[in-house]
Amino acid sequence: QGVYLEHNLVLQDGLRLYGSFEGDESSLEERRDVWTNDHWTVIDAERKHRVLNMKNKTEVNGFILRNGLRDYTLQSGVTLDDSRGGGLYITCDDDAVVCNNIIEHCAVFWQGGGIFIEGSCNNTPAAPLIEFNVIRSSTGYCGGGIEIAGVPEGAPGGTDAIIRHNVLRNNADGGTSELGFGLELWTEYEDQCSARMGDFYNNIIIGFRNERDWNIDAADVWAWARNSVDRSFISQDWYQGAYLYNGCYKFDNPDKYNIFGSDP
């Protein structure tokens, strides 16, 4: 437990990081449920950089990650392309696990205020798993809470990330957000739906729809995918784009199993 002022930490392949112990445990199994304890381990990036970078077969479990920032308009030495992943940047998607964390007050200029997953760097079936997290008060132009990208230059891409049992709360405009305050799931390229699409289900998204400009197609969820986004509570809206072919939508996949606008 404790507050650690650290930033841009890198978890190399295979490293698993667990936090929020009281201090007298001898095994992970003895750690109290993080959602009922008051012994959180906090990593505070102090808006100097993103908080954590994850590689293959890594895990982050039991932390509060906060105050990450990647914004080329505010920070020197940062490019637009690197203005992603304020809390977590997952470089590849082989068996990375993000579980039992609070990610808060993180910001980017571009994609993935809370979490950014770059899924185009391999073609294995090993999926990243994002579950039982609270992602709140984070912002970005796309995917204020979570951005899943996987479109390599010039070819269809995608990632098969599993995102379930999370709460994405108040990942609001922040002055730049337009696409997917809660989630942007981007697995489409030039009117093609990727075979690797991800699953997003049993989540709660409570956010703010962008009201700066009625011409902006703003939504809490913005998905370019097949029918893989369902069974979630979404507080406001999501973008319903063009139908391309069976099971494939250019911008979104409206699904009858989602609940909109009512109390979750």
Side-chain angles (χ1 to χ4, degrees), residues 56 90 124 144 152 173 190 195 232 255 262:
N56 293 320
I90 301 177
T124 74
D173 181 344
E190 290 188 348
S232 288
D255 193 293
S262 59

Side-chain angles (χ1 to χ4, degrees), residues 25-198:
E25 300 90 345
S26 59
S27 68
L28 177 62
E29 289 70 27
E30 292 182 7
R31 182 183 69 174
R32 195 193 313 178
D33 174 37
V34 297
W35 301 108
T36 62
N37 82 32
D38 55 358
H39 301 279
W40 282 100
T41 301
V42 180
I43 304 178
D44 191 329
E46 302 180 283
R47 298 181 69 82
K48 295 179 178 178
H49 207 292
R50 72 174 54 93
V51 185
L52 280 171
N53 302 269
M54 298 179 67
K55 297 188 176 182
N56 293 320
K57 298 177 176 60
T58 55
E59 180 173 356
V60 175
N61 186 318
F63 289 87
I64 295 177
L65 308 177
R66 70 187 184 201
N67 292 330
L69 177 66
R70 294 305 280 164
D71 188 333
Y72 83 108
T73 68
L74 300 176
Q75 297 169 296
S76 61
V78 181
T79 64
L80 172 61
D81 190 59
D82 191 41
S83 297
R84 298 167 164 170
L88 288 172
Y89 192 115
I90 301 177
T91 304
C92 280
D93 63 3
D94 275 359
D95 287 331
V97 176
V98 180
C99 182
N100 294 323
N101 303 285
I102 296 173
I103 300 173
E104 62 182 9
H105 306 299
C106 293
V108 295
F109 180 87
W110 191 221
Q111 296 172 311
I115 299 175
F116 178 82
I117 302 173
E118 176 56 73
S120 64
C121 53
N122 60 53
N123 292 295
T124 74
L129 175 62
I130 313 295
E131 68 174 353
F132 302 115
N133 302 283
V134 173
I135 302 172
R136 63 190 181 196
S137 302
S138 295
T139 63
Y141 180 85
C142 306
I146 301 174
E147 170 80 21
I148 304 175
V151 185
E153 192 69 30
T159 178
D160 47 5
I162 299 168
I163 300 179
R164 64 191 182 196
H165 313 308
N166 300 281
V167 174
L168 283 67
R169 179 183 178 194
N170 294 350
N171 298 299
D173 181 344
T176 61
S177 295
E178 292 186 7
L179 312 178
F181 296 145
L183 166 80
E184 184 179 33
L185 175 60
W186 183 17
T187 61
E188 182 268 353
Y189 181 81
E190 290 188 348
D191 293 348
Q192 303 174 53
C193 277
S194 171
R196 306 178 71 216
M197 66 197 79

Side-chain angles (χ1 to χ4, degrees), residues 198-209:
D199 276 315
F200 182 82
Y201 62 92
N202 292 352
N203 299 278
I204 296 174
I205 300 180
I206 300 175
F208 298 101
R209 190 177 180 189

